Amino acid sequence: MTGIADGPFIAAVKPLIDAMGGEMLPPDEAGPDDVVLAWEGADVVAVRLPQLADSLDHILAAMERKKGKPLADLDRKAKQEVVRILEARGAFSVRHGVETVASALGVSRFTVYNYLNREKEA
């Protein structure tokens, strides 16, 4: 994070950028797809957002940390909750999203689709 001034704004946005799997860059190194954040009229930091597939991996890793164990070790009800949260976050709009989630949960694609259909019927 060289070239980025520390301060309250950086401290405030860093947890959000980390949660998204983004990368902070100096504003003058921003590319056309990066988002430059300004504070009090001055550009402070550029944010490089991850590719969607990388975001899904990042979200799955964060969920494992939050649960304190591999997602595959969760019980069925907890796995259904994970699928519901991931659906709300758009995980299944990513190419191979169902396969990626199924692998992380240690279940089949069919099981993930069953969890998704169960939510829609409820």
Side-chain angles (χ1 to χ4, degrees):
M1 223 171 54
T2 58
I4 300 172
D6 288 329
F9 181 75
I10 296 297
V13 299
K14 186 175 182 335
L16 175 62
I17 294 167
D18 289 347
M20 295 183 323
E23 177 186 356
M24 291 195 286
L25 308 163
D28 60 345
E29 293 180 20
D33 294 330
D34 297 333
V35 179
V36 177
L37 302 178
W39 178 254
E40 296 181 343
D43 291 344
V44 178
V45 66
V47 179
R48 182 158 296 153
L49 299 173
Q51 298 297 314
L52 286 176
D54 295 336
S55 290
L56 180 53
D57 290 338
H58 191 79
I59 291 167
L60 289 167
M63 291 183 94
E64 278 195 349
R65 284 191 304 276
K66 186 175 182 179
K67 299 286 185 186
K69 60 182 168 182
L71 297 178
D73 293 347
L74 299 175
D75 64 24
R76 182 177 53 85
K77 185 172 179 159
K79 288 179 181 182
Q80 289 172 336
E81 175 70 8
V82 166
V83 168
R84 186 191 64 71
I85 291 166
L86 291 171
E87 182 181 29
R89 295 188 70 180
F92 302 110
S93 63
V94 175
R95 186 171 187 211
H96 303 296
V98 171
E99 292 86 348
T100 301
V101 171
S103 176
L105 292 175
V107 299
S108 68
R109 288 177 26 214
F110 180 76
T111 298
V112 173
Y113 284 118
N114 276 342
Y115 291 169
L116 289 168
N117 288 335
R118 190 164 304 168
E119 280 297 314
K120 290 178 178 141
E121 292 170 2

